[in-house]
Amino acid sequence: MNSEKIPDLPFEKWNDTRLTLHIILQIIGKTRMASTARKNHWWNITLYVSPRGFTTSPIPVKNGGESVEITFDIPKRAVAITQSEEEEIVISLKENPTIADFYSEYLSKLKGTGLHFDFVKKPFDLEVKKPFSQITEYHHYDWDYIEKFWKIMKWNNSILQEFSGRFYGKSCPAHIYWHHLDLVVTRFSGKKLPPMDASARILEKDTYSHEQISFGFWAGDPNVREPMYYSYTYPSPNGIDEEILQPEGAKWQDSNGSPMALLSYETVKNSNNPRKAVLDFLESAYQAGAKRANWNIAELTVPDLDKL
């Protein structure tokens, strides 16, 4: 029997809800991006798994004297804007508002909070291309699937936090990039890379400024229509796809000309020990990339306390 009961998340059955949730989280994430000081590798724009749903974490406002936090609050069925000095603002989702209706109310409620909303007002790298104010076809809130996704993300967040703690080098927190709605931890060797050429997007120029191995989970997209764990090494070293991945079922697959390690959520869910399966995958993908890229694995590994 499975040591944890983790839910099914069939891509096709919640696709409209997934997109509705994703677009709302992009709106929230863009607000954080517009309202916070820059941090390396875009770490200032990310969202986080929280006990209530998905959140920005506190955003300083009014010259740092106050703070505001925006949460997609799943138990409350709302987006909540929590202020340090004022009452909480609640935008209810119980009546299934369209993205356009939600966005209109959201902008109205942001006034006076100190948050900024001078961002590009349409989805980023999604199949929906219209401005937020014109998206009326997405108004889907299957709360059963939203809660399942949240449960899975909470579980994966704890795994990525445990995995992150094994590494002495520079590493980001476990956070959500609302670009692809993936939960991510990235490790860095400390080696700076040559600048990308002028044709690269500013997103990639800062993201890939240093050698790294990234790990994550995402719920799927039109190209990969199932939840999946992944890892990639950048730059991708020669022969990485000759390394053995764990557990059985993990595989290397080409992604834009470079090997990416993949493990399906379905394989994890059906394993005897799902948590161990994910940790084994993360560790084997790290060892493959770090070995082939000549990282100092021993120096970067956190030992057990009894070995200090």
Side-chain angles (χ1 to χ4, degrees):
M1 293 180 63
N2 288 349
S3 60
E4 295 105 352
K5 292 182 179 180
I6 52 178
D8 289 320
L9 194 67
F11 181 86
E12 306 297 343
K13 290 188 176 181
W14 81 300
N15 191 35
D16 288 341
T17 289
R18 178 190 64 83
L19 266 171
T20 302
L21 171 65
H22 194 165
I23 294 169
I24 290 176
L25 291 180
Q26 284 209 355
I27 293 168
I28 294 170
K30 283 172 176 270
T31 307
R32 185 182 181 212
M33 178 177 66
S35 303
T36 56
R38 181 186 167 197
K39 189 174 176 64
N40 52 251
H41 308 293
W42 302 100
W43 295 354
N44 62 302
I45 76 170
T46 53
L47 302 176
Y48 303 89
V49 181
S50 86
R52 301 291 303 181
F54 306 105
T55 185
T56 59
S57 76
I59 302 170
V61 297
K62 300 179 181 178
N63 206 29
E66 300 177 19
S67 61
V68 177
E69 183 169 3
I70 311 172
T71 301
F72 189 101
D73 192 313
I74 294 169
K76 195 173 285 184
R77 306 290 194 261
V79 169
I81 304 171
T82 305
Q83 306 178 86
S84 59
E85 301 291 336
E86 304 290 342
E87 290 186 0
E88 182 179 67
I89 299 168
V90 176
I91 304 171
S92 176
L93 303 174
K94 292 179 181 178
E95 299 301 321
N96 303 330
T98 66
I99 294 297
D101 287 341
F102 164 79
Y103 182 65
S104 176
E105 183 176 1
Y106 178 80
L107 290 186
S108 175
K109 295 291 177 65
L110 280 188
K111 294 177 181 177
T113 63
L115 295 170
H116 301 292
F117 40 90
D118 50 344
F119 47 75
V120 177
K121 296 173 174 59
K122 63 180 181 179
F124 181 64
D125 273 9
L126 287 181
E127 55 266 43
V128 183
K129 304 301 182 184
K130 295 190 293 187
F132 298 128
S133 61
Q134 297 177 20
I135 301 174
T136 57
E137 63 270 43
Y138 288 102
H139 47 83
H140 304 84
Y141 302 85
D142 186 325
W143 291 102
D144 181 52
Y145 276 112
I146 291 173
E147 288 183 354
K148 286 180 178 180
F149 176 61
W150 177 38
K151 180 176 181 179
I152 293 165
M153 292 288 270
K154 285 187 289 184
W155 185 72
N156 282 316
N157 192 62
S158 74
I159 293 173
L160 287 174
Q161 287 176 334
E162 178 180 342
F163 177 68
S164 180
R166 301 175 178 179
F167 186 69
Y168 265 134
K170 173 182 171 180
S171 180
C172 68
H175 55 201
I176 300 168
Y177 278 114
W178 43 262
H179 174 200
H180 285 147
L181 197 55
D182 49 347
L183 182 65
V184 178
V185 158
T186 302
R187 293 176 171 182
F188 296 82
S189 69
K191 180 182 178 182
K192 186 172 176 60
L193 297 171
M196 290 184 170
D197 63 39
S199 65
R201 295 191 297 181
I202 192 69
L203 170 69
E204 281 82 17
K205 286 181 179 180
D206 195 34
T207 299
Y208 299 116
S209 62
H210 290 71
E211 190 176 55
Q212 61 190 259
I213 306 176
S214 195
F215 314 85
F217 169 84
W218 90 104
D221 58 31
N223 296 317
V224 181
R225 304 181 77 85
E226 64 173 316
M228 194 76 66
Y229 297 90
Y230 69 85
S231 176
Y232 63 87
T233 300
Y234 184 85
S236 185
N238 291 333
I240 188 173
D241 52 349
E242 297 173 11
E243 299 293 326
I244 302 299
L245 294 169
Q246 298 293 336
E248 186 176 352
K251 62 182 180 180
W252 295 102
Q253 182 169 302
D254 180 78
S255 176
N256 298 318
S258 298
M260 177 179 282
L262 294 174
L263 176 66
S264 73
Y265 174 73
E266 188 70 14
T267 297
V268 169
K269 186 175 68 69
N270 292 330
S271 69
N272 290 328
N273 189 332
R275 189 179 188 91
K276 182 177 184 299
V278 177
L279 285 168
D280 286 350
F281 171 73
L282 299 173
E283 186 62 35
S284 66
Y286 167 69
Q287 292 291 334
K291 172 186 172 183
R292 290 285 177 164
N294 297 313
W295 289 23
N296 191 331
I297 296 174
E299 186 176 291
L300 293 169
T301 299
V302 175
D304 294 335
L305 286 174
D306 60 3
K307 295 179 181 177
L308 288 175

